[in-house]
Amino acid sequence: MYPLSVVLSLLVAASVASRKFPPGFKFGAATSSYQVEGAWNVSDKSPSIWDTFTHDNPDLIVDRSNGDVACDSYHLWETDIAVAKELGLHFYRFSISWPRLLPNGHSNYVSEDGKRYYNNLINGLIANGIEPVVTLYHWDLPQKLQDLGGWTNPDLASWFEDYAEVAFSLFGDRVKTWLTFNEPVSFCDIAYEAGKTAPGITLPGIGNYICAKVVMLAHARAYRLYDTKFRLRYRGKVGLTNQLLWCEPKNSDEVENTELMRNAMALYSYPIYSKTGGWPPSVEKTIAEKSKKEGYSRSRLPSFTQEEIEFIKGTYDFFGLNYYTSRLVETAKPGEKLSWLPLKGSTDLGLALTADPSWKEGNAWLISYPPGIRRLLLWLKQKFGDIEFKIMENGYSTSEPVMYDDERVNYYKDHLEQVLLAINEDKVFVTAYTAWSLLDNYEWNSGYTSRFGLVNVDFNDPMRRRTPRASANYYAAVIRSHSLDLNNH
Ligand code: GBH
């Protein structure tokens, strides 16, 4: 018999252990080029589609703002590194601005200024013990390539490969984690839905699906290029990151529809991660049948050749996941138009999305449902196998720049708790967690009215002063203790 005190301390130890993240688990925070850099026209940088879009359509941005200056990270990158260091981040995820590095869009000319900027940032991070995690494409396509059709031009897949080759060659000796794309669902589906985001084209059900196919091919080209030319030398990892909502049935009749919706959410995952490759069959079939009924001679979702299926399949070293929120699925009313933009559903699938009224905390579209991240991870594991998952974005916005941001602290706490359960209970192989965002930044159509930062940015201050919020302190404590039990480290 052990004395009670020993039993109790063993129990406490066990529960503490279970609130520990696995050894080697990494914590980071993310930003993206257009959202933080500013300096939209310095040196030889050419405009991106977001420069053009915000300059031409200020009325589509809540506060009529743009990313001309944003957080001015182009000039203040050293401050960003200092802030990241203060938080104790293991890695910092940022993106390269394609038109800053390749002002022509094509790789015939590389900007010295672009090279210098990203070398400084990468070297500065490494010198401070912070690993750079780099996204190649976070929505700021060179306008010159949009003029050639953007993501609806199949040649863009090769031009993206050329861009990737420049980036891998220049930075691959120091960058070991690459994301080809951030959220194709956002720059394909949302972008072509209602013309409300760059490139401002309304071609729902057409443009988005062509974009989807070109992006899958572009990703695979970049991945295979890394495999053949860089992997042996640099031994890095390449993937992409997809935003997925977790979906649950509104009622028991909607179980099958919910599975269809989950597969639709995985449109940009299935071709890469599934054993068979290609589009998710249920989604492909639904869109093909609908297209036929509408009189199209072929499906609006372009098919892959068998060769393309094989080319794309398996082009990953990990699964990148951006998770923010969840929805309930129900059959749409006949003829109901449903847009992805406010996350309402899919017209093609005839399925509508709503938030459960019992999910209390939230801000606009971002309704907090922490169990969603755990269930999603398990669903993905069951679907695609026991692969490595890296959470590349998760975070919470407020409309006011509150410094004591307890709502954000709760969001992080509750979601990290669920990530731990996914790891410990469901045995999902999750190796990284990334907070969106390190800094308040340019939140696309919401301009500067939506704050995601662990660190507050004063956009009225020409120096864009950065001040850590309560959530920054909380996150730093989690990182320090490598645990959710902040009193035991
Ligand atoms: C991610 O997008 C992006 O990767 C990142 O750049 C972004 O800052 C972050 O998350 C936060 O949004 O207001 O109803 O019109 C997530 C996709 C795109 C979802 C914009 C919300 C606006 C919905 N987000 N969308 S609505």
Side-chain angles (χ1 to χ4, degrees), residues 7-61:
V7 173
L8 277 179
S9 66
L10 281 173
L11 281 173
V12 170
S15 76
V16 168
S18 74
R19 287 169 64 81
K20 268 237 165 264
F21 287 88
F25 187 92
K26 287 178 182 168
F27 292 96
T31 61
S32 87
S33 45
Y34 185 72
Q35 295 180 275
V36 302
E37 282 179 5
W40 76 281
N41 62 353
V42 301
S43 184
D44 48 0
K45 178 182 174 293
S46 69
S48 79
I49 56 174
W50 272 92
D51 292 315
T52 310
F53 182 77
T54 54
H55 293 158
D56 292 354
N57 306 284
D59 43 310
L60 291 180
I61 311 300

Side-chain angles (χ1 to χ4, degrees), residues 347-358:
T347 307
D348 266 344
L349 303 183
L351 297 176
L353 299 172
T354 52
D356 190 318
S358 76

Side-chain angles (χ1 to χ4, degrees), residues 45 66 214 242 266 277 338 365 376 402 447 456 477:
K45 178 182 174 293
N66 54 51
V214 178
N242 274 302
L338 296 158
W365 60 277
L376 182 54
V402 275
N456 180 75

